[in-house]
Structures are given as structure tokens and as C-alpha cells.
């Protein structure tokens, strides 16, 4: 364990549990424990601000002697989450800090290498806030992390949320229409709506069957974080290569009931990337025709030339409905929805792709996620 504090004896006003009412009980427990443990290890008594600016993407704010930090609270972080978390923390205003229940050494190292500041409920911390510097590692889990089961971010919930984010009018549709548009079983929709409401992303007004999304930007971030762990692996077909590295430039992929995502799709929107890894969503029925037309073949491992790699996934939305038709005409029909492109870019955790994801968000997503 190592920690250094460049300014000793600094005590801030005790943070108020009153402010924690904006967090759910699980998040409150994590923040409470993390701040208490930090104080026990270092003597620093950080204060929670009682105000959160309108439109802030933070869960809460923490005051230090010299500045205010925007807090993102997370539980049960896994490696697949890191691209999305790093992306979100980097865009928080003011400086972002991750507060978690527990960060294992590998995850903590990745965060530190990306200059993401953090603290967890076990006492592991990395804070670089001159004149304060804290670097504590090696602490083991000390708090119970059990949580009531909420299926909003399991496989079916992710399909439902994707449909809502692509077309919010679907929130008010009949359960049958929601099922037809998202591919979620009719009998599961009611429970998923309840779970979304309990998670803080859906409301109904006047006890009527009328729902509206709230905290949409945070909901998008949660979806982007959960998708590569919970849903995307189930869609994976395999890795392929082609003798023609530029095959993708001259093929009308939508003719094969297939769509670009990831780097190729982002390049078509931003003209920023030179795609290295090709990501395709192709239906089982038409995918074989695409493979034949593009002369794709199964990649052998290890793959020598990563720049010629094609990753193929099955769509998770119903056939003939890839959720682009609710967007304006200037959005492309040969790609998946920009929300999915954004998620695939972030999941790569590649610095080029993270930068492109920010550009894509600003140009093609932010307007439709909007302000809460």
C-alpha cells in the first residue's frame, strides 16, 4: 500500500447525507464507504456538494480544497466496461472521478494509465489534484455488494433500451408493438419497464400507462457499458479475412441484409478514421451471400495482419428493422444506428476509436438524446 499527501492536515466540512438522496441506496452506500475509507487512510475529509447543476452528467459532486470533482458511481466493474467508463469520465465537467465498490489491480492500473482518477469503498485510490496526490493500492474488498436483481441491463433489457433510445415514441406504444420492434418477448416487457423505472430511467405520470424516458444520457452510457459484456458476445459469428483489404469500399452491403458498424461506419460519418478492423452485422439468411461476394474466409489464429480483420455479428433487432428509419434522412442506411456504432467504438478501448466516438456523439447522437 502506498499513499502520499502533499498537503497535510486539510479538513473539509463534513459531507451531508442529505445530498445522497439524489443517489439510489446502493450508490449512497458506495460513496459513503469510499469517502469514509479515504478519510481513515489519509485524513482527507472531502465534502459532497449539495447542488448538482441542471444537465450535469455526474451522479454527484465532491469538493476538495482546491476544486470540485464530478463523480460517476459504479458497481461490479469488469474489463469490458472500461472503454465506456473511461469515455464517460473524460467528458465529465468539472474533472471526473470514478467512485466504485471495488477496483481490482488490473482495472485500477488501466484507469491510472488513462489518467482516470478513482477511489473505491475498499480504500484503493488514485487522485492527482495538486497539491494533493493519493495513490493507494492493494486493498481487498470489505463491503457487501449483493443487490436486488434488476434485469434492465440483461440481454432482453438491453434490446428494449436500444429500441427506446433509437425511437423514444416506442415507449408509449402497445406491448405488442414494442415486442415486434425490439424482439423482446411480449411477456417480459412489463417487468422490464418496472425494472427501468426502479433503476431511475423511466417514469409514468398520474398512475396512467404512459411512460417517458428520463436521465437519457446516463441511460445511453449504461447501455454502452453493458452491451459488450451482456449482449454482444452472444451475437458473435467469428473473425474473417479477405485478400482484398479494400473490399468494403465498393460493396453495397445493405443488399445482403447487413450493416457496417465500428470503424468503417464511423469513417463514413466522420471522414476521420482509416479503418483497421471491419465490423459487420449480418443476418444468418443473407450473410453467406455477403461472404461469397466479398470472398471472406475464416481467419486462422494467430492473425498476423490485424488491419485486415473482419468481425461479424448477428443483428439483435428484428429482421428489416435496424432502427435507422426514425432518424433524419442524412443518416446512412448502410450502417447500424449511430448509437450502436458509438458503443462498438468505445468497446474497443482504442484511443483512436474513443476520439472518433466523441465526434460521432456530437454530430449524430447528442441531438436525439437531448436534455432531460
Amino acid at each position: 500500500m502506498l499513499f502520499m499527501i502533499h498537503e497535510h492536515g486539510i479538513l473539509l466540512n463534513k459531507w451531508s447525507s442529505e445530498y445522497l438522496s439524489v443517489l439510489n441506496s446502493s450508490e449512497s452506500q458506495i460513496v459513503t464507504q469510499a469517502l469514509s475509507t479515504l478519510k481513515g487512510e489519509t485524513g482527507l475529509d472531502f465534502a459532497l456538494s449539495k447542488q448538482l447543476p441542471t444537465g450535469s452528467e455526474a451522479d454527484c459532486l465532491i469538493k476538495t480544497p482546491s476544486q470540485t470533482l464530478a463523480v460517476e458511481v459504479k458497481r461490479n466493474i469488469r474489463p469490458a466496461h472500461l472503454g465506456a467508463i473511461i469515455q464517460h469520465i473524460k467528458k465529465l465537467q468539472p474533472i471526473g472521478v470514478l467512485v466504485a465498490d471495488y477496483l481490482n489491480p488490473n482495472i485500477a492500473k488501466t484507469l491510472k494509465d488513462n489518467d482516470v482518477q478513482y477511489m473505491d469503498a475498499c480504500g484503493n485510490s488514485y487522485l492527482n489534484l495538486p497539491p494533493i496526490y493519493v495513490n493507494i493500492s492493494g486493498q481487498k474488498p470489505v463491503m457487501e455488494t449483493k443487490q436486488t436483481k434488476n434485469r434492465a441491463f440483461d440481454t432482453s433489457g438491453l434490446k428494449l433500451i436500444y429500441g427506446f433510445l433509437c425511437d423514444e415514441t416506442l415507449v408509449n406504444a402497445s406491448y405488442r408493438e414494442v415486442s415486434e420492434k425490439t424482439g423482446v418477448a411480449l411477456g417480459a416487457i412489463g417487468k422490464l419497464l418496472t425494472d427501468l423505472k426502479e433503476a431511475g430511467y423511466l417514469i409514468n405520470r398520474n398512475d396512467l400507462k404512459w411512460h417517458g424516458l428520463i436521465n437519457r444520457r446516463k441511460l445511453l452510457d449504461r447501455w454502452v457499458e453493458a452491451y459488450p459484456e451482456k449482449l454482444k458476445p452472444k451475437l458473435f459469428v467469428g473473425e474473417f479475412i479477405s485478400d482484398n483489404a479494400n473490399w468494403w469500399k465498393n460493396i453495397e452491403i445493405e443488399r445482403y441484409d447487413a450493416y457496417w458498424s465500428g470503424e468503417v461506419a464511423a469513417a463514413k460519418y466522420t471522414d476521420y478514421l482509416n479503418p483497421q478492423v471491419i465490423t459487420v452485422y449480418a443476418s444468418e439468411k443473407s450473410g453467406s451471400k455477403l461472404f461469397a461476394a466479398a470472398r471472406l474466409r475464416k481467419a486462422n489464429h494467430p492473425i498476423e495482419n490485424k488491419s485486415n480483420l473482419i468481425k461479424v455479428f448477428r443483428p439483435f433487432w428484428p429482421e428489416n428493422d435496424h432502427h435507422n428509419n426514425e432518424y433524419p434522412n442524412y443518416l446512412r442506411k448502410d450502417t447500424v444506428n449511430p448509437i450502436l456504432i458509438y458503443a462498438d467504438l468505445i468497446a474497443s478501448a482504442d484511443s483512436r476509436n474513443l476520439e472518433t466516438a466523441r465526434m460521432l456523439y456530437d454530430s449524430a447522437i447528442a441531438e436525439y438524446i437531448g436534455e432531460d
Side-chain angles (χ1 to χ4, degrees):
M1 180 176 68
L2 166 69
F3 72 88
M4 293 178 287
I5 306 175
H6 286 226
E7 186 164 304
H8 296 279
I10 297 175
L11 294 179
L12 301 178
N13 294 331
K14 290 186 177 180
W15 51 271
S16 170
S17 60
E18 175 185 339
Y19 183 77
L20 292 178
S21 62
V22 303
L23 305 172
N24 64 40
S25 59
S26 174
E27 292 171 334
S28 298
Q29 184 184 13
I30 291 169
V31 174
T32 299
Q33 185 67 34
L35 292 177
S36 176
T37 306
L38 180 70
K39 180 180 179 182
E41 295 285 350
T42 67
L44 292 171
D45 192 3
F46 287 174
L48 264 70
S49 170
K50 294 183 179 180
Q51 295 183 338
L52 190 64
T54 301
S56 174
E57 296 185 54
D59 290 322
C60 57
L61 301 178
I62 289 177
K63 289 186 176 180
T64 78
S66 58
Q67 59 196 295
T68 299
L69 304 177
V71 175
E72 177 71 10
V73 185
K74 292 292 182 185
R75 296 175 55 90
N76 304 324
I77 295 175
R78 297 178 178 87
H81 303 157
L82 288 177
I85 289 172
I86 291 168
Q87 170 84 349
H88 184 66
I89 297 293
K90 292 282 190 181
K91 72 180 180 181
L92 287 178
Q93 296 292 333
I95 296 174
V97 60
L98 173 66
V99 179
D101 52 349
Y102 171 66
L103 298 167
N104 72 43
N106 290 333
I107 287 176
K109 181 179 185 302
T110 300
L111 292 169
K112 185 178 177 183
D113 288 347
N114 283 274
D115 198 30
V116 172
Q117 305 191 72
Y118 61 81
M119 63 181 77
D120 71 20
C122 307
N124 301 296
S125 303
Y126 168 63
L127 300 171
N128 188 7
L129 305 166
I132 295 173
Y133 180 83
V134 179
N135 186 15
I136 303 174
S137 60
Q139 305 291 75
K140 301 298 183 181
V142 294
M143 69 178 291
E144 179 60 53
T145 59
K146 288 183 180 180
Q147 188 178 25
T148 302
K149 180 67 172 176
N150 186 305
R151 298 181 297 180
F153 295 92
D154 284 349
T155 300
S156 293
L158 291 171
K159 293 179 182 180
L160 185 71
I161 292 168
Y162 179 73
F164 287 172
L165 288 173
C166 291
D167 178 15
E168 192 176 346
T169 65
L170 194 58
V171 177
N172 295 300
S174 68
Y175 284 11
R176 184 168 299 279
E177 183 179 352
V178 172
S179 177
E180 291 172 351
K181 286 279 191 177
T182 64
V184 176
L186 185 64
I189 292 172
K191 173 59 177 171
L192 290 172
L193 291 174
T194 298
D195 286 350
L196 266 178
K197 180 180 178 181
E198 291 177 353
Y201 299 109
L202 194 66
I203 59 172
N204 63 340
R205 297 177 177 149
N206 300 323
D207 295 323
L208 299 176
K209 292 182 179 180
W210 189 94
H211 296 81
L213 289 181
I214 56 175
N215 298 319
R216 291 185 295 276
R217 287 186 293 180
K218 186 173 181 181
L219 178 61
L220 172 64
D221 289 337
R222 288 283 306 275
W223 189 88
V224 167
E225 179 185 316
Y227 171 69
E229 180 191 15
K230 297 290 185 66
L231 180 53
K232 190 175 182 179
K234 299 178 180 179
L235 311 172
F236 186 56
V237 176
E239 295 180 339
F240 300 81
I241 57 174
S242 172
D243 292 332
N244 178 8
N246 295 316
W247 69 273
W248 58 273
K249 294 182 178 179
N250 301 310
I251 196 166
E252 295 180 19
I253 196 170
E254 63 272 27
R255 291 177 52 193
Y256 302 94
D257 194 21
Y259 306 94
W260 305 115
S261 188
E263 297 176 31
V264 169
K268 290 177 178 291
Y269 274 106
T270 66
D271 294 323
Y272 178 72
L273 276 179
N274 178 23
Q276 301 296 308
V277 177
I278 313 300
T279 302
V280 174
Y281 285 80
S283 71
E284 184 174 5
K285 182 172 67 174
S286 303
S288 59
K289 295 179 181 179
L290 171 65
F291 292 176
R295 298 183 179 180
L296 305 185
R297 66 182 187 276
K298 195 77 172 179
N300 295 319
H301 292 274
I303 298 172
E304 294 183 1
N305 186 5
K306 293 283 188 181
S307 65
N308 194 25
L309 184 63
I310 302 113
K311 295 185 177 183
V312 179
F313 299 86
R314 294 288 182 235
F316 58 87
W317 50 90
E319 190 174 356
N320 299 322
D321 184 1
H322 72 298
H323 299 299
N324 258 4
N325 50 346
E326 284 79 18
Y327 276 71
N329 291 332
Y330 71 82
L331 292 186
R332 304 184 61 98
K333 299 299 183 181
D334 59 348
T335 73
V336 297
N337 189 281
I339 288 172
L340 183 51
I341 302 170
Y342 178 73
D344 283 338
L345 290 171
I346 289 176
S348 73
D350 180 275
S351 59
R352 299 175 313 127
N353 291 346
L354 293 178
E355 176 61 27
T356 308
R358 284 190 284 271
M359 296 168 61
L360 181 67
Y361 179 89
D362 290 341
S363 65
I365 298 175
E367 179 180 352
Y368 304 98
I369 296 299
E371 298 290 339
D372 292 314

